[in-house]
Structures are given as C-alpha cells and as structure tokens.
Amino acid sequence: MNSRSLLLATAAACVLPVAVQAQSVDIPWIGPLNTPPPLQGLYMGGGLGANWLQDERFIGATGTATDARFRSRTGWTGVVSLGYAFGNGLRTELEGSYRSNRISQGRGFGFPAAAGGFENKYGPMVNVLYDLTGIIPMPFAPYAGVGVGYQ
C-alpha cells in the first residue's frame, strides 16, 4: 500500500462515521437496543492479554540468516492508556504497553545449547479512535482506529 492510498483510507475512516446518524434498533426477541451516549472528556483505560512471539533468528557474521534461533513460550502483556474523548465519537490517546515472554529453547546452533531467560519489551503508542456505537447499535462499544508506536 503506497502512502497516497494510506492517506485516502485514513481520511475515509475519519469522515465516513460523521456522515452517519445514530438510530435506535428494535430487535424482536431482545427489545429496543439504544446506543449509549458517546464518551466525553478525559479517560483512562487498561488491559491484560496473551503475547505470542515468532522464533527469533540469528544473523551470521557475513550478514546472512543462519538456522540458529530462539523459541519462546506464550507470555503476557499489559496495556494502559490515557486519552481524551471529544464527545462526537472521536478520541485520541497515548498508550503504553509491556510484554514479557520466557525463552524456552535454542535450536540450530550446531552444538548442544541450552536457552533460558526472559524477553521483555515496552513502548509507547499514539492512537486516534472512533466509537462505532452510534453506527452499529450493539450492547457493547465497538470502535475503529489507527495508531503509531514503537516497541
């Protein structure tokens, strides 16, 4: 995807929800499904989850990939965010995350090798989000967004 397509997709994602109006939906076996009012003002968020890593391969002295690699176990991740909701469904937030995986195995070194320890990563992310509660009436609060970060 080139930068022009990415810019057009981002603009469409930001403009399209503004053109749609929220409506109440009546589901026969559930009843009326009213959307909650949009968030407004300063908010905090957080979450915990699982973290999977691919095998980490080594680069040899000549700059080529080798068969040597580390394998890791499923780890955990924690995320905290601080944001501001503008009241029209649009939100911006700063997010920080921490991920931890245990190294479980070393393979392909050409000699017997044991591996152990942890790989810990952390980093910031800046997100722009749009709440879809007014577009898709549901009992939960879906949202769409884009973000840029570093791990």
Side-chain angles (χ1 to χ4, degrees):
M1 178 181 268
N2 61 29
S3 59
R4 184 176 176 186
S5 298
L6 182 61
L7 181 62
L8 287 173
T10 304
C14 292
V15 173
L16 182 63
V18 175
V20 179
Q21 281 189 320
Q23 297 179 359
S24 178
V25 174
D26 190 11
I27 300 174
W29 60 89
I30 297 177
L33 189 59
N34 296 319
T35 58
L39 289 175
Q40 189 167 5
L42 194 64
Y43 69 90
M44 290 179 58
L48 292 173
N51 183 33
W52 292 272
L53 285 179
Q54 296 177 341
D55 288 357
E56 296 194 36
R57 297 187 176 268
F58 287 82
I59 303 295
T62 60
T64 59
T66 66
D67 288 335
R69 62 183 181 259
F70 279 143
R71 284 204 167 154
S72 63
R73 295 185 180 157
T74 301
W76 65 274
T77 183
V79 178
V80 294
S81 59
L82 178 65
Y84 187 82
F86 295 98
N88 59 359
L90 193 61
R91 298 185 280 147
T92 59
E93 68 180 25
L94 179 62
E95 175 184 298
S97 66
Y98 180 81
R99 302 171 196 297
S100 180
N101 291 82
R102 184 177 199 151
I103 303 297
S104 64
Q105 191 176 67
R107 304 186 101 187
F109 286 97
F111 54 86
F118 288 87
E119 180 172 351
N120 299 314
K121 296 179 182 178
Y122 55 91
M125 189 160 182
V126 176
N127 300 317
V128 176
L129 309 167
Y130 188 81
D131 294 322
L132 300 173
T133 54
I135 297 171
I136 306 169
M138 293 186 179
F140 51 91
Y143 61 90
V146 294
V148 176
Y150 180 77
Q151 197 64 221

